[in-house]
Amino acid sequence: MFESEKEQLVEVSLKLYNEKLIVGTWGNLSLRVKDTDGKSLYIVTPSGMEYEKTTINDLIVLDEEGSIVEGIRKPTSELKMHMRIYEEREEINAIIHTHSTFATAFAVAGVSIPMIVEDMVQHLGGDLRVAKYALPGTDKLADYIVEALSDRNGTLMKNHGAVGIGKTLEDAYKAAMIIEKTSKIYLYAKVLGHVHLLSVEDAQKMIEYYNTNYGQNNM
Ligand SMILES: [Zn+2]
């Protein structure tokens, strides 16, 4: 069931691993798919497995209640967070949680990232907030993440990492990459001493343009 989607998930997790956005067994991915009756199912990565060794047979398929439909592994320990995001954000079909270095540095410092570069504003929908801290795997953490993701496709997670979401897995991957790249740029700009922000007005125009005209899909 959903072989090509599973292959895509394994492929993206390896790309994240090679980009060092996920290290060891930390970080997790999920994808929302529809079954033949149009019901939502969720493909998630297993808990505590090395990404280099993970194959499509290690992925787990769950239904909306969180019951396992297919798979022999235990699902990711951040399952609650993934399910809460899907519940809250109907347009979102892919979630990537990373422990990437620069994003986590800001999450540890508790410093949110203002609107500094165009791709961030366009793809993530604005600044990067820092979601409040709660222990991993808890309902509380899921609530804080959903709150910080409001009108955004990414957020930092206090003392933990980052989350990037998207309509497709490719979009979520782009979000995860942009979060890390923006964090890096912000740190460098701070070191250089001057941080010029994009104006709220320009940012708003970019978000509107990106959502309606950008790319090859709106010709
Ligand atoms: Zn984590």
Side-chain angles (χ1 to χ4, degrees), residues 45-205:
T45 47
S47 174
M49 265 194 80
E50 300 276 349
Y51 282 92
E52 276 181 308
K53 292 176 190 152
T54 304
T55 72
I56 61 167
N57 299 322
D58 297 310
L59 301 178
I60 303 103
V61 182
L62 301 142
D63 64 16
E64 276 182 327
E65 281 75 48
S67 305
I68 296 177
V69 176
E70 192 187 61
I72 47 163
R73 303 283 178 198
K74 203 173 129 196
T76 166
S77 54
E78 292 296 0
L79 186 63
K80 279 181 182 164
M81 176 179 85
H82 287 253
M83 296 304 268
R84 277 280 286 123
I85 296 170
Y86 288 123
E87 199 183 309
E88 205 70 29
R89 300 283 294 270
E90 280 187 1
E91 84 285 13
I92 294 304
N93 297 306
I95 299 168
I96 296 176
H97 163 47
T98 68
H99 290 182
S100 57
T101 310
F102 287 88
T104 308
F106 281 98
V108 167
V111 175
S112 59
I113 303 183
M115 297 191 285
I116 50 168
V117 281
E118 294 179 350
D119 51 5
M120 165 215 204
V121 169
Q122 292 166 351
H123 196 77
L124 302 178
D127 60 348
L128 269 172
R129 306 178 182 115
V130 184
K132 282 181 267 181
Y133 184 79
L135 284 172
T138 58
D139 287 318
K140 215 173 188 181
L141 179 67
D143 289 342
Y144 291 159
I145 299 303
V146 163
E147 189 186 359
L149 275 174
S150 169
D151 293 325
R152 299 286 185 276
N153 290 326
T155 186
L156 306 177
M157 306 164 69
K158 191 95 181 277
N159 291 87
H160 187 155
V163 184
I165 60 177
K167 285 179 188 158
T168 63
L169 193 54
E170 202 180 301
D171 279 346
Y173 174 73
K174 229 185 265 178
M177 295 295 286
I178 291 173
I179 291 169
E180 184 63 358
K181 183 176 83 81
T182 308
S183 305
K184 213 172 189 176
I185 291 169
Y186 191 39
L187 184 66
Y188 289 156
K190 274 173 166 278
V191 171
L192 293 169
H194 297 284
V195 176
H196 297 282
L197 306 185
L198 288 165
S199 76
V200 175
E201 197 190 352
D202 286 345
Q204 201 51 48
K205 278 185 195 155

Side-chain angles (χ1 to χ4, degrees), residues 6 14 27 30-31 43 46 96 125 127-128 130 136 145 183 208 210-211:
K6 284 178 181 170
L14 273 177
S30 70
L31 191 58
I43 306 173
I96 296 176
D127 60 348
L128 269 172
V130 184
I145 299 303
S183 305
E208 276 165 29
Y210 189 75
N211 287 339

